[in-house]
């Protein structure tokens, strides 16, 4: 087993992702609070159970509330504002999560072709999830 | 060589106390979120585009009461713990009070999570 090389001081991938993890974490919490406040604003108090409200909070997609007792979904719940919110949640959430997987995996790896392989795999997983989620958003 | 050691399950024997438990739970909850919510997105895609039975079954499991209770645990816990990490990283003076902050975080977590689960279970029991 070879030793791990110490990360150099300066601007590199690990530093950038360290900053990004903090920023995206705060952003996700702010987006979640926006989703929850918006749901109450649109009448979730009398139209939703708490599980549906939580699903809407973390991903404000009309499919998440389709089983609730909402008379007209189109004006308040399904429009461009919430689509942009969903895309922001998808971007920050998927990137934060995939970077988290990378950090966990690289704790068990040394710097070798094996690490490059995992980074490539996680990059393609990231791309795949982004495309999938944006497809779901635009088609719903 | 200091780094020449096996970690694996020996990590469980390490007596790091409360803050170490939060580190452990942060990883477990993070991986759980990535796996289960990733699968939920994938299942929703299959359901929406192909009307697939597989996707529908996965989403029925995902939206069942027991699974939602688990998902809310990992999501709310990961969010609160992440907030604590950000605060402690930004003001390193506070690391002195790490144990107290960890206890405070559990109190806040139990209030938020307990209320969510309580409402969900009560509504399921009363059938509304």
């Amino acid at each position: 087993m070879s030793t791990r090389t110490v990360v150099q001081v300066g601007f590199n991938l690990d530093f950038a992702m360290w900053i990004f993890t903090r920023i995206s974490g705060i952003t996700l919490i702010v987006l979640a609070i926006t989703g929850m406040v918006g749901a109450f604003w649109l009448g979730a108090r009398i139209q939703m159970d708490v599980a549906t409200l939580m699903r809407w909070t973390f991903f404000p997609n009309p499919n998440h509330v389709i089983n609730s007792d909402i008379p007209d979904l189109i004006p308040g719940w399904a429009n461009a504002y919430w689509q942009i919110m969903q895309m922001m949640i998808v971007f920050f959430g998927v990137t934060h999560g995939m970077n988290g997987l990378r950090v966990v995996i690289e704790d068990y790896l040394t710097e070798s072709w094996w690490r490059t392989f995992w980074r490539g795999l996680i990059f393609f997983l990231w791309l795949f999830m982004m495309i999938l989620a944006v497809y779901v958003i635009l088609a719903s | 060589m200091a780094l020449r050691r096996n970690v694996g399950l020996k990590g469980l024997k390490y007596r790091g106390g409360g803050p170490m438990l939060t580190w452990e739970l942060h990883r477990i909850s993070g991986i759980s979120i990535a796996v289960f919510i990733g699968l939920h997105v994938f299942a929703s895609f299959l359901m929406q585009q192909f009307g697939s039975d597989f996707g529908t079954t996965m989403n029925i499991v995902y939206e069942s009461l027991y699974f939602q209770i688990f998902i809310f645990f990992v999501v709310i816990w990961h969010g609160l713990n992440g907030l604590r990490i950000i605060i402690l990283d930004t003001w390193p003076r506070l690391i002195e009070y790490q144990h107290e902050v960890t206890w405070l975080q559990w109190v806040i977590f139990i209030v938020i999570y307990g209320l969510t689960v309580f409402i969900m279970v009560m509504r399921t029991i009363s059938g509304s």
Side-chain angles (χ1 to χ4, degrees):
Chain A
M1 182 180 159
S2 59
T3 48
R4 288 176 62 157
T5 47
V6 177
V7 176
Q8 294 300 305
V9 177
F11 196 82
N12 51 32
L13 177 73
D14 280 300
F15 179 66
M17 291 323 283
W18 187 88
I19 297 272
F20 179 81
T21 304
R22 267 97 191 135
I23 291 172
S24 61
I26 293 175
T27 311
L28 283 169
I29 292 174
V30 171
L31 285 169
I33 291 171
T34 312
M36 194 188 266
V37 171
F40 279 122
W41 188 289
L42 294 169
R45 168 74 182 80
I46 48 170
Q47 290 166 335
M48 277 186 193
D49 57 18
V50 72
T52 316
L53 174 67
M54 295 296 268
R55 279 205 296 279
W56 177 268
T57 297
F58 293 109
F59 189 57
N61 187 291
N63 280 334
H64 265 158
V65 295
I66 209 132
N67 293 327
S68 288
D69 184 25
I70 290 169
D72 202 354
L73 208 57
I74 303 301
W77 300 89
N79 54 36
Y81 174 77
W82 290 117
Q83 276 191 339
I84 292 168
M85 283 296 180
Q86 288 165 51
M87 284 182 192
M88 282 170 72
I89 287 208
V90 160
F91 172 73
F92 285 111
V94 174
T95 314
H96 185 108
M98 288 301 156
N99 180 58
L101 283 185
R102 183 186 68 85
V103 169
V104 172
I105 287 170
E106 286 184 5
D107 265 1
Y108 298 91
L109 295 180
T110 52
E111 202 163 345
S112 64
W113 65 272
W114 195 221
R115 195 179 82 169
T116 315
F117 169 81
W118 277 102
R119 281 194 179 175
L121 192 69
I122 286 171
F123 173 76
F124 280 112
L125 203 58
W126 174 81
L127 204 62
F128 177 70
M129 289 311 292
M130 290 282 284
I131 292 169
L132 214 63
V134 170
Y135 203 102
V136 170
I137 292 168
L138 292 179
S140 58
Chain B
M1 225 178 288
L3 286 172
R4 201 184 169 100
R5 60 176 190 231
N6 289 319
V7 226
L9 288 176
K10 281 181 191 162
L12 294 175
K13 268 162 48 183
Y14 176 64
R15 294 167 190 272
M20 186 241 176
L21 180 68
T22 63
W23 180 83
E24 200 81 65
L25 272 175
H26 199 70
R27 294 219 148 173
I28 294 171
S29 59
I31 295 170
S32 309
I33 292 169
V35 170
F36 292 120
I37 294 184
L39 281 175
H40 171 60
V41 173
F42 186 57
S44 303
F45 173 79
L46 291 180
M47 208 168 126
Q48 187 194 46
Q49 296 305 320
F50 308 111
S52 123
D53 288 339
F54 171 71
T56 312
T57 312
M58 278 204 353
N59 274 342
I60 286 172
V61 172
Y62 182 86
E63 292 183 9
S64 68
L65 178 69
Y66 310 105
F67 211 84
Q68 291 281 294
I69 285 174
F70 168 73
I71 286 287
F72 292 159
F73 179 88
V74 290
V75 169
I76 295 171
W77 203 89
H78 196 88
L80 273 178
N81 193 50
L83 209 54
R84 178 183 68 90
I85 292 171
I86 293 170
I87 291 169
L88 289 187
D89 271 354
T90 316
W91 293 282
R93 263 183 308 166
L94 296 174
I95 291 177
E96 205 179 317
Y97 306 102
Q98 219 197 136
H99 282 87
E100 287 82 352
V101 174
T102 309
W103 281 111
L104 179 69
Q105 183 201 334
W106 277 108
V107 171
I108 297 172
F109 172 75
I110 287 169
V111 171
I112 296 179
Y113 180 65
L115 198 62
T116 313
V117 170
F118 177 74
I119 297 172
M120 270 173 75
V121 171
M122 288 312 276
R123 284 193 69 131
T124 311
I125 291 172
S126 65
S128 62

